[in-house]
């Protein structure tokens, strides 16, 4: 709501907000403490944000997510220039031909999908003794508050906790939303399937 208010007043554009998040990802996820919570950045994020800014300028508002930067867990298909790998090196090069239903809903609502997040590989369906937030593609996601502690759950959670995005969309496997929310100081909402929009 605060970001929408800032865009409505003209204090910020979606493109400016998107760039701020991309800069923060570069500064503390890829450099600095290297949180490893972002597995891939959308090369078209700024183009999408500018398109949402143009729509706003032309009087077309899609709703409360219009122009808001969102990150998507890497086991959710996005039919764009980002891969969908579930964190597995075995899946590198897999580009979805079709958006997952939730991604279609987000795009229709005007959300700007800026990146894919790291996760416990295969959403933790690889072992009963695995480490939360580790994948062969993205390495170990770190807890942004205590770097050597678990970020918890297959959705990890440091992207939201470290303010690398306004909203993150994960998947609930076995505590994949509730656990990272509680450990990383976020707010996790597990709605009815398909309701996020």
């Amino acid at each position: 709501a605060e970001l929408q208010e800032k865009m409505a007043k003209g204090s910020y554009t979606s493109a400016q907000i998107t760039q701020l998040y991309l800069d923060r990802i570069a500064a503390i996820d890829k450099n600095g403490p290297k949180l490893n919570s972002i597995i891939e950045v959308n090369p078209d994020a700024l183009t999408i944000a500018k398109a949402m800014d143009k729509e706003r300028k032309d009087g077309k508002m899609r709703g409360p997510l219009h122009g808001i930067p969102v990150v998507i867990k890497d086991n959710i298909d996005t039919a764009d220039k980002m891969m969908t790998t579930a964190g597995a090196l075995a899946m590198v090069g897999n580009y979805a031909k079709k958006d997952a239903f939730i991604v279609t809903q987000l795009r229709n609502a005007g959300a700007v999908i800026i990146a894919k997040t790291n996760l416990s590989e295969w959403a933790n369906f690889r072992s009963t003794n695995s480490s939360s937030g580790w994948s062969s593609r993205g390495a170990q996601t770190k807890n942004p508050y205590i770097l050597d502690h678990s970020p918890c759950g297959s959705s990890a959670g440091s992207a939201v906790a470290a303010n690398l995005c306004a909203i993150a969309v994960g998947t609930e496997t076995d505590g994949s939303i509730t656990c990272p929310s509680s450990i990383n100081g976020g707010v996790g909402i597990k709605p009815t399937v398909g309701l996020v929009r």
Side-chain angles (χ1 to χ4, degrees):
E2 288 178 19
L3 291 176
Q4 282 299 352
E5 187 181 332
K6 289 180 187 305
M7 287 188 282
K9 288 181 178 175
S11 306
Y12 285 96
T13 63
S14 176
Q16 288 170 323
I17 294 168
T18 298
Q19 188 62 63
L20 288 169
Y21 281 122
L22 292 173
D23 290 347
R24 188 156 173 84
I25 289 167
I28 69 169
D29 197 73
K30 302 304 173 200
N31 295 291
K34 295 185 180 177
L35 298 176
N36 294 329
S37 62
I38 302 296
I39 206 164
E40 186 172 2
V41 170
N42 186 353
D44 293 328
L46 283 172
T47 302
I48 297 165
K50 287 174 185 174
M52 293 302 102
D53 286 332
K54 183 175 184 328
E55 284 189 12
R56 180 185 300 274
K57 187 178 176 184
D58 293 343
K60 181 182 178 186
M61 276 296 296
R62 299 185 187 204
L65 288 177
H66 190 105
I68 300 293
V70 176
V71 297
I72 304 288
K73 189 174 176 180
D74 186 39
N75 65 345
I76 301 172
D77 283 343
T78 57
D80 51 25
K81 293 177 184 170
M82 293 185 291
M83 293 180 269
T84 302
T85 67
L89 283 173
M91 295 290 289
V92 167
N94 178 54
Y95 292 92
K97 292 183 175 131
K98 182 179 168 188
D99 281 334
F101 176 75
I102 191 156
V103 174
T104 299
Q105 295 291 86
L106 287 165
R107 291 192 202 278
N108 289 342
V112 179
I113 299 172
I114 63 169
K116 290 281 193 89
T117 60
N118 197 11
L119 67 154
S120 302
E121 190 169 317
W122 302 115
N124 232 11
F125 278 115
R126 69 186 192 288
S127 169
T128 55
N129 252 341
S130 59
S131 172
S132 283
W134 180 88
S135 76
S136 57
R137 183 175 174 218
Q140 179 64 55
T141 303
K142 298 175 186 173
N143 181 314
Y145 296 106
I146 308 173
L147 295 175
D148 64 352
H149 281 52
S150 173
C152 200
S154 78
S155 298
S158 61
V160 173
N163 195 25
L164 301 179
C165 61
I167 299 168
V169 176
T171 59
E172 178 64 37
T173 313
D174 182 21
S176 301
I177 292 172
T178 55
C179 189
S181 298
S182 65
I183 296 298
N184 295 284
V187 175
I189 300 169
K190 187 177 151 186
T192 303
V193 174
L195 188 62
V196 178
R197 52 191 158 108

